Amino acid sequence: MTTQSRTTQGRTQTYPPLRIRRLDSGLPLPVRAHPDDAGVDLFAASDLELEPGRRALVGTGIAIALPIGTVGLIHPRSGLAARAGLSIVNTPGTIDAGYRGEIKVCLINHDLDDTITIRRGDRIAQLLVQRVELPELVEVDELDDTVRGDGGYGSSGGHAALTTSTPSDEETQS
Ligand SMILES: O=c1ccn([C@H]2C[C@H](O)[C@@H](COP(=O)(O)OP(=O)(O)OP(=O)(O)O)O2)c(=O)[nH]1
Ligand SMILES: [Mg+2]
């Protein structure tokens, strides 16, 4: 299978192809909603009711063969997240290049009150393909110094350095 060139918004780029198998012939082939979208929307292969706070693993009816040196990331869809509180427990899910099984999504209902109803064929998540480094691990006794050092977990603070004028001050002045 050869490398493919795609032209979107006047720019041509070359990507290795993504081989995909439909394990469920009743579902369409997943596609990008727009040609230059990062994510390919994935379908739910089965119906599902998710009560508030509950999670469930749902099949997508596809298997893929990612090029070595890439990773598949399964992200939630923002519309469903904002409208219904639907997300993914392990977001983003990691699809290893060597994985040939069905891609499944561990959905979770974050809404406190309402059950989410998923129907077979609903677009419930999106697959992104990214390049990934596969370095060998080399054990060392010391790591090089950096400005951050071992500071983390909020060590840089959490509040903006505000100027004295606020938007409401500016409205009053104009
Ligand atoms: O959202 C996901 C995440 C993972 N997988 C599949 C593909 C991935 O290659 C495999 C293993 O995923 P991961 O490494 O995240 O899980 P693990 O708990 O470490 O399992 P394993 O021991 O099989 O690596 O499960 C999915 O289908 N959907
Ligand atoms: Mg693993």
Side-chain angles (χ1 to χ4, degrees):
M1 206 178 285
T2 55
T3 311
Q4 302 163 323
S5 291
R6 290 206 306 131
T7 304
T8 52
Q9 297 185 352
R11 292 181 57 188
T12 303
Q13 284 194 298
T14 307
Y15 302 97
L18 178 60
R19 285 168 286 159
I20 180 166
R21 268 187 74 207
R22 265 192 289 173
L23 308 174
D24 180 334
S25 56
L27 289 173
L29 205 59
V31 289
R32 293 182 170 80
H34 305 101
D36 45 4
D37 283 356
V40 176
D41 289 338
L42 303 180
F43 302 108
S46 53
D47 296 339
L48 189 68
E49 295 261 307
L50 271 184
E51 290 173 13
R54 296 286 173 186
R55 67 178 186 271
L57 201 55
V58 62
T60 63
I62 58 156
I64 59 176
L66 287 160
I68 291 169
T70 68
V71 62
L73 298 176
I74 307 295
H75 286 262
R77 294 189 65 214
S78 58
L80 283 170
R83 272 200 311 277
L86 186 70
S87 191
I88 296 171
V89 176
N90 56 320
T91 177
T94 303
I95 309 301
D96 299 292
Y99 181 67
R100 297 290 177 270
E102 181 181 16
I103 294 180
K104 295 182 181 175
V105 184
C106 193
L107 293 173
I108 184 161
N109 179 359
H110 281 310
D111 195 85
L112 298 180
D113 304 309
D114 294 332
T115 294
I116 298 176
T117 301
I118 309 278
R119 294 271 171 255
R120 174 177 152 81
D122 284 351
R123 290 182 289 146
I124 39 119
Q126 53 187 322
L127 166 72
L128 276 69
V129 178
Q130 292 191 343
R131 292 199 176 92
V132 68
E133 302 291 329
L134 303 173
E136 298 290 333
L137 302 190
V138 178
E139 189 178 13
V140 295
D141 293 328
E142 298 288 338
L143 301 174
D144 55 315
D145 286 332
T146 64
V147 174
R148 175 177 282 274
D150 59 5
Y153 305 96
S155 67
S156 67
H159 198 66
L162 297 174
T163 56
T164 45
S165 74
T166 63
S168 54
D169 290 339
E170 283 160 19
E171 278 163 26
T172 321
Q173 284 160 18
S174 59

